[in-house]
Amino acid sequence: MNRKAISPVIAMLFVLLIVIVILIPLSYMIFSIPTSSDMAQANAQIYETSSQQQLSEITVIRNNLQLSSNNAMGSITPKYFGLVYDNSELYVLILQNNPSVPLVIKTILGLNSKNEWTVINKNVNIVINETNINSKFNGYDSVKIPVSGNYNAIAVVTNLGNIIAVPPYTVILTTYETEPAGIVSLNPNSFKVLQNPQFTINSTAPLQALMAEYGNTLTLYSGELCPSSESSFFYINSYYSGSMYPESNPLEINGSISGIFDLSSNSQLTLNGMFDGNITLVPSLLSSQQPTLVVNGSVSMTVLGSMISLSNFDGTINGTAIKSLTINATSATIIKGKGIISITPSYYYGFLGLISYFTTYINGSAVGKIIIENPESNVFNYHAEFDGNMEGNISVSNIVSNIGPFNLNLNNAGFSEFAGIINGTFNSGIYSSNSMELSVYKEENIIVKPQISSFFVETPITVKFNFAISNPSNKTIEIYYAYVSFDEYFVFSLSGSSGPQSGEFIGLVKVPLSINISPGESVNRTLIVSIPQQLFSSVSLSNILKTQQNMFVITPTYETINLEFYSNIGYLTSGTFVLPVQSPPIVYPQSD
């Protein structure tokens, strides 16, 4: 019997159906698997975050004033390691324990007499921790690493690829009159936690409503302070700690800021008004761009380690009348008068034309138009830092970098670190890259908005303790105020992580006091104080909360407290006391 063959059209449709059945699941499987590029990008982001965190925990010690003034540990971002290059030795000072990111010195570079960077030792591979302590430097436990040969500077390469330049350590001689010292003691057994921090997750809310519910001292994570209805808003004598960046450039403040603040890279601060305090300009060793201070007005200041240029000047320099002058001031120089004053980090030409830079220290006051510039940062992290008071019209804007035919604004202008009093009108909302601590006396027209989906509020810890101050001298000691720092170290676990993570809450508060101690007498006091805290961890708080299915639990391991009293004879310190842990595990709710 004859059978008809399948027509070509039906056969083609049959083949096409088979191809579709195979290709659909195959394409789904192929495109649902992350590509190696996606995985590499995710890993690179994690690596970059850890690298930046490690860099923020390291400080370069350039001279003895950084150590003697207790500035080595930093006032805002915790500093765990200090790098010192002294007498052909690299000292890595351990300033605090339990860093967020471990530090391993992998390679050491040296700047030779030809102004060239060469590899001194590429197989160092020393882990910086308590186990490897082998020396002391100015009383700090340290890991000493020999550096063969003499170099004009060295640079260390870390396990995360950070390259950090370390200029030679210098000793700046100071003369001072010896004053009598009081003796401070603290009873650790008297320490009691009266109120543990509370933690909440919020959407947009008026700042006044948050203060009414939680108190006027708060720590905010992932939040922005914004005007509620007006184009500007203002604070009255409010404390702010954290980095400070505006929602839109430039940041303009009409009022005063008082405290310690660093300009972020590529930022210019312009002040029409007055300043009084200290300015530090840290130079770049490998760039012609340097942080600068320019004043067009009246000044009365002492300058050390700088190039000073005076024009149209009516005044004196070191007591000598001057109209115009450019000098390389490597020793203390006193400037008084009115005109145009430009100050940049100083340098000198050494053997074979080698250039060595000095860090510039400025102390005094100025009135007029004042500009502080912090040009584009590089791996050597030069910067401009201010400690004091500014008052008037303050503007912080970008420095435009010219690269070929392009003009680039490389970052949002602002303060990379800020800790102090803000008092005046702001033209823009502000936010912090990590967390912000607020103690608000009065504010107008402010709401708190989340940077992404929600922001987090942490209330202070309230503690009680006893202390005593003895006066063995023949002069009355007058105590004006105290700084109380309280740190809590803890561990926590993340869903899917291989083991426990570590973190730290840092707390610091200024307490007004009025205590007089007569010669040969002692006083005992009980202090109850609320201390706002900020979280420092390799994992941000918002990311921690968003990875948890139900709740997030941290378990405290140990706590420390330190007292510093400021008086008519300087400051008195109690030292650091390790306390028995009284805080129970803290349970935080899940993020929405």
Side-chain angles (χ1 to χ4, degrees):
M1 183 173 60
N2 295 328
R3 295 181 179 178
K4 294 181 68 175
I6 299 174
S7 71
V9 175
I10 295 175
M12 182 61 69
L13 291 174
F14 184 72
V15 172
L16 183 60
L17 180 62
I18 294 174
V19 170
I20 292 174
V21 170
I22 295 174
L23 286 181
I24 289 177
L26 180 62
S27 62
Y28 178 80
M29 180 181 68
I30 291 173
F31 292 107
S32 64
I33 298 175
T35 65
S36 59
S37 176
D38 293 334
M39 296 177 67
Q41 184 176 3
N43 290 334
Q45 182 63 41
I46 296 172
Y47 186 90
E48 181 183 3
T49 300
S50 299
S51 176
Q52 292 174 349
Q53 178 67 26
Q54 182 186 70
L55 192 62
S56 72
E57 295 179 352
I58 301 171
T59 185
V60 176
I61 308 298
R62 297 170 174 82
N63 57 63
N64 57 303
L65 295 184
Q66 287 179 262
L67 294 172
S68 62
S69 62
N70 204 26
N71 285 331
M73 295 172 65
S75 57
I76 304 164
T77 303
K79 302 299 182 183
Y80 292 88
F81 304 105
L83 301 179
V84 177
Y85 175 43
D86 186 41
N87 293 325
S88 297
E89 305 278 1
L90 168 65
Y91 293 87
V92 185
L93 280 56
I94 299 178
L95 305 176
Q96 300 184 75
N97 296 321
N98 300 311
S100 300
V101 181
L103 174 61
V104 181
I105 304 298
K106 303 287 288 187
T107 303
I108 300 177
L109 310 176
L111 186 65
N112 61 23
S113 58
K114 297 180 181 179
N115 208 23
E116 299 172 340
W117 287 97
T118 60
V119 177
I120 302 174
N121 189 340
K122 63 179 180 180
N123 297 308
V124 181
N125 295 325
I126 294 180
V127 180
I128 308 303
N129 56 27
E130 297 88 339
T131 304
N132 290 324
I133 292 173
N134 58 8
S135 183
K136 280 186 175 292
F137 191 91
N138 270 35
Y140 288 92
D141 289 334
S142 61
V143 178
K144 182 172 70 172
I145 304 173
V147 178
S148 57
N150 294 316
Y151 296 90
N152 297 285
I154 64 171
V156 299
V157 183
T158 74
N159 52 313
L160 294 181
N162 287 313
I163 304 174
I164 305 169
V166 188
Y169 180 81
T170 58
V171 176
I172 299 176
L173 299 178
T174 58
T175 59
Y176 54 90
E177 182 180 351
T178 302
E179 297 280 5
I183 301 172
V184 178
S185 60
L186 183 146
N187 181 5
N189 294 324
S190 70
F191 184 85
K192 302 294 181 186
V193 176
L194 303 182
Q195 177 66 55
N196 279 299
Q198 300 179 14
F199 186 87
T200 60
I201 301 173
N202 293 265
S203 57
T204 300
L207 182 57
Q208 285 184 336
L210 295 176
M211 292 188 299
E213 184 171 359
Y214 304 115
N216 70 336
T217 298
L218 303 170
T219 301
L220 304 179
Y221 301 87
S222 301
E224 297 183 12
L225 304 178
C226 305
S228 58
S229 58
E230 306 295 331
S231 59
S232 63
F233 57 96
F234 68 88
Y235 300 87
I236 298 178
N237 292 331
S238 300
Y239 178 81
Y240 180 102
S241 176
S243 58
M244 182 188 292
Y245 296 101
E247 283 190 310
S248 59
N249 283 314
L251 171 63
E252 295 181 351
I253 305 170
N254 185 11
S256 66
I257 54 178
S258 178
I260 299 174
F261 32 94
D262 282 12
L263 276 181
S264 59
S265 62
N266 254 72
S267 290
Q268 173 180 292
L269 184 150
T270 302
L271 166 66
N272 285 296
M274 61 81 62
F275 84 72
D276 181 27
N278 303 293
I279 299 175
T280 303
L281 305 177
V282 181
S284 167
L285 299 179
L286 298 180
S287 173
S288 60
Q289 299 184 50
Q290 302 293 341
T292 61
L293 168 68
V294 178
V295 179
N296 187 350
S298 301
V299 301
S300 176
M301 59 179 58
T302 301
V303 183
L304 175 64
S306 68
M307 289 294 297
I308 301 174
S309 177
L310 307 176
S311 60
N312 297 321
F313 190 73
D314 182 13
T316 63
I317 183 166
N318 286 337
T320 302
I322 294 294
K323 294 294 184 182
S324 63
L325 179 69
T326 297
I327 61 170
N328 191 354
T330 58
S331 59
T333 302
I334 300 174
I335 307 172
K336 294 183 178 181
K338 183 177 182 180
I340 300 175
I341 302 97
S342 176
I343 299 172
T344 59
S346 179
Y347 61 89
Y348 71 89
Y349 291 94
F351 182 66
L352 298 178
L354 180 69
I355 300 177
S356 294
Y357 285 97
F358 293 89
T359 296
T360 297
Y361 298 97
I362 303 166
N363 171 262
S365 60
V367 179
K369 183 175 182 180
I370 299 141
I371 297 175
I372 303 175
E373 285 193 353
N374 184 31
E376 180 184 353
S377 182
N378 57 21
V379 295
F380 296 98
N381 194 33
Y382 53 94
H383 64 276
E385 177 183 282
F386 184 84
D387 179 1
N389 178 68
M390 288 186 179
E391 185 173 350
N393 296 315
I394 304 166
S395 175
V396 184
S397 58
N398 284 117
I399 299 173
V400 177
S401 295
N402 296 313
I403 301 178
F406 305 104
N407 292 331
L408 301 178
N409 287 331
L410 298 181
N411 72 305
N412 205 27
F415 299 103
S416 57
E417 291 188 353
F418 189 103
I421 303 297
I422 52 180
N423 192 3
T425 302
F426 284 61
N427 73 318
S428 167
I430 55 177
Y431 66 92
S432 174
S433 57
N434 181 19
S435 62
M436 65 174 71
E437 176 192 315
L438 293 171
S439 292
V440 182
Y441 172 71
K442 184 179 180 181
E443 53 81 17
E444 297 288 346
N445 305 322
I446 299 177
I447 60 172
V448 183
K449 298 195 305 186
Q451 291 186 23
I452 303 176
S453 60
S454 56
F455 68 89
F456 314 98
V457 177
E458 182 186 6
T459 61
I461 185 171
T462 303
V463 299
K464 174 183 178 181
F465 56 88
N466 299 331
F467 66 90
I469 304 177
S470 301
N471 182 4
S473 71
N474 57 3
K475 182 177 181 179
T476 298
I477 298 177
E478 301 172 4
I479 305 294
Y480 306 128
Y481 59 90
Y483 277 113
V484 181
S485 62
F486 176 75
D487 299 351
E488 182 175 75
Y489 302 84
F490 60 86
V491 295
F492 61 94
S493 296
L494 293 177
S495 301
S497 63
S498 58
Q501 307 283 328
S502 63
E504 181 178 359
F505 282 114
I506 302 292
L508 177 68
V509 67
K510 180 180 177 181
V511 183
L513 295 172
S514 179
I515 302 175
N516 294 330
I517 310 147
S518 301
E521 294 187 356
S522 299
V523 297
N524 293 275
R525 292 289 188 272
T526 297
L527 194 61
I528 298 176
V529 61
S530 293
I531 308 172
Q533 296 182 292
Q534 290 179 288
L535 170 70
F536 291 94
S537 171
S538 58
V539 185
S540 70
L541 183 59
S542 58
N543 288 338
I544 289 173
L545 294 174
K546 291 174 182 177
T547 60
Q548 304 309 296
Q549 295 181 352
N550 295 309
M551 59 185 59
F552 163 56
V553 179
I554 69 169
T555 304
T557 54
Y558 72 95
E559 299 160 337
T560 64
I561 189 171
N562 179 274
L563 293 177
E564 286 188 358
F565 295 92
Y566 285 74
S567 70
N568 59 322
I569 63 169
Y571 80 90
L572 316 172
T573 181
S574 67
T576 300
F577 292 86
V578 178
L579 304 169
V581 174
Q582 300 180 42
S583 302
I586 302 175
V587 179
Y588 288 154
Q590 180 191 11
S591 173
D592 294 333

